[in-house]
Amino acid sequence: ICMVFLETGIFSLVRGGDFLVTGGLGLAKQLNVNTMVVGLTIIAFSTSSPELAFNIFAASGDHGAITIGNIFGSNIANLALVLGIGALVHNRVLKKKNNKMPVEYTKITSEFLKREGSWLLGSTLGISIITVLILIYGNVPGPWYKTINFNVFTGVILFLCFLIFFWHILGRHKKNKKCQSKRIDDYDDCSLSKAVFLLIGGFVLLIFGGKAAEIGAVVGARIFQISDMFIGVTIVALGTSL
């Protein structure tokens, strides 16, 4: 039964994220939104929504170990597995098309890597430092705001960092006219009403899938007598990254 819950939950999370991507891109096409902004906001949020939905249910159910495991495992999968496969597929497509696509659609500029890569590097180093401090000095008895841990205080700081990043993305790329939405042609047939329907359906699937996957993961960990962290960093992380 736990495997049925887990598989159903992960499938619903994946489909929900897929609906959000399709609906988000369709909405962006209708509103003529900058493609760079679409990639860094709508697609980034939508493809991270399975992790978010699962972690909200897991954390609210007092299963923090699964939450941390899923976050760490999913980010490793995104950086290594997803980026690696994406690069292989992209290069294969370019060879088939004999590099006839415009350079601005195929080349990742050093300016982009320097600008957005610095945010990735900074956030990764920041989380790594926090994790090391927690491992060394964490769980010391005292008020929550003085305890080094993944608590409310740490969460607020991280969320503020995210808002600053989001403000940076919108502010910088609003002025960039080089990347207007000319490559969202695949979504021409996605009407505004269909895009909204897909967005709503995606959120519903995420809520259902998040709860079902949490139940399956927790029950499975208990039955097989393995840690919540292991379940989160392997099965759930890979499933929500698919």
Side-chain angles (χ1 to χ4, degrees), residues 51-68 71 207 210-212 214-215 218:
E51 288 91 348
L52 178 61
F54 176 84
N55 288 340
I56 288 175
F57 283 107
S60 62
D62 198 25
H63 303 295
I66 293 183
T67 301
I68 297 297
I71 292 171
I207 293 172
K211 189 60 182 177
E214 183 231 347
I215 294 173
V218 172

Side-chain angles (χ1 to χ4, degrees), residues 17-44 46-47 181 183-191 195-196 198-199:
D18 182 40
F19 283 176
L20 284 182
V21 171
T22 306
L25 285 174
L27 186 63
K29 178 65 180 178
Q30 295 294 327
L31 301 178
N32 195 29
V33 177
N34 184 298
T35 53
M36 186 68 72
V37 175
V38 171
L40 290 166
T41 55
I42 295 176
I43 295 182
S46 299
T47 54
S181 52
R183 298 299 298 176
I184 316 183
D185 300 331
D186 295 339
Y187 297 86
D188 282 336
D189 61 338
C190 189
S191 63
V196 173
L198 287 173
L199 288 173

Side-chain angles (χ1 to χ4, degrees), residues 163-207:
L163 292 179
I164 294 172
F165 168 73
F166 189 62
W167 172 78
H168 154 79
I169 292 298
L170 291 182
R172 178 178 291 274
H173 293 290
K174 184 185 286 187
K175 302 175 183 178
N176 187 357
K177 303 300 182 181
K178 296 180 180 179
C179 301
Q180 293 300 323
S181 52
K182 299 176 182 177
R183 298 299 298 176
I184 316 183
D185 300 331
D186 295 339
Y187 297 86
D188 282 336
D189 61 338
C190 189
S191 63
L192 184 61
S193 58
K194 181 180 178 181
V196 173
F197 175 78
L198 287 173
L199 288 173
I200 295 174
F203 280 116
V204 172
L205 283 174
L206 286 177
I207 293 172

Side-chain angles (χ1 to χ4, degrees), residues 64-214:
I66 293 183
T67 301
I68 297 297
N70 183 29
I71 292 171
F72 285 9
S74 295
N75 278 284
I76 292 171
N78 279 325
L79 291 172
L81 176 67
V82 177
L83 182 59
I85 292 178
L88 292 173
V89 172
H90 180 68
N91 289 331
R92 192 173 183 82
V93 170
L94 286 184
K95 287 181 179 179
K96 283 186 177 181
K97 298 197 174 194
N98 297 320
N99 292 326
K100 292 180 180 179
M101 294 178 67
V103 177
E104 59 268 24
Y105 297 141
T106 61
K107 183 180 179 182
I108 301 175
T109 64
S110 58
E111 180 188 359
F112 173 82
L113 289 176
K114 200 177 296 182
R115 186 173 62 242
E116 313 306 345
S118 62
W119 282 91
L120 174 63
L121 182 61
S123 59
T124 304
L125 286 176
I127 291 294
S128 300
I129 292 172
I130 292 174
T131 303
V132 171
L133 291 175
I134 290 174
L135 289 174
I136 298 175
Y137 304 106
N139 300 316
V140 178
W144 63 269
Y145 56 88
K146 290 185 178 179
T147 303
I148 301 176
N149 210 328
F150 287 112
N151 50 29
V152 176
F153 183 69
T154 308
V156 169
I157 292 176
L158 293 176
F159 187 67
L160 288 176
C161 291
F162 167 75
L163 292 179
I164 294 172
F165 168 73
F166 189 62
W167 172 78
H168 154 79
I169 292 298
L170 291 182
R172 178 178 291 274
H173 293 290
K174 184 185 286 187
K175 302 175 183 178
N176 187 357
K177 303 300 182 181
K178 296 180 180 179
C179 301
Q180 293 300 323
S181 52
K182 299 176 182 177
R183 298 299 298 176
I184 316 183
D185 300 331
D186 295 339
Y187 297 86
D188 282 336
D189 61 338
C190 189
S191 63
L192 184 61
S193 58
K194 181 180 178 181
V196 173
F197 175 78
L198 287 173
L199 288 173
I200 295 174
F203 280 116
V204 172
L205 283 174
L206 286 177
I207 293 172
F208 169 77
K211 189 60 182 177
E214 183 231 347

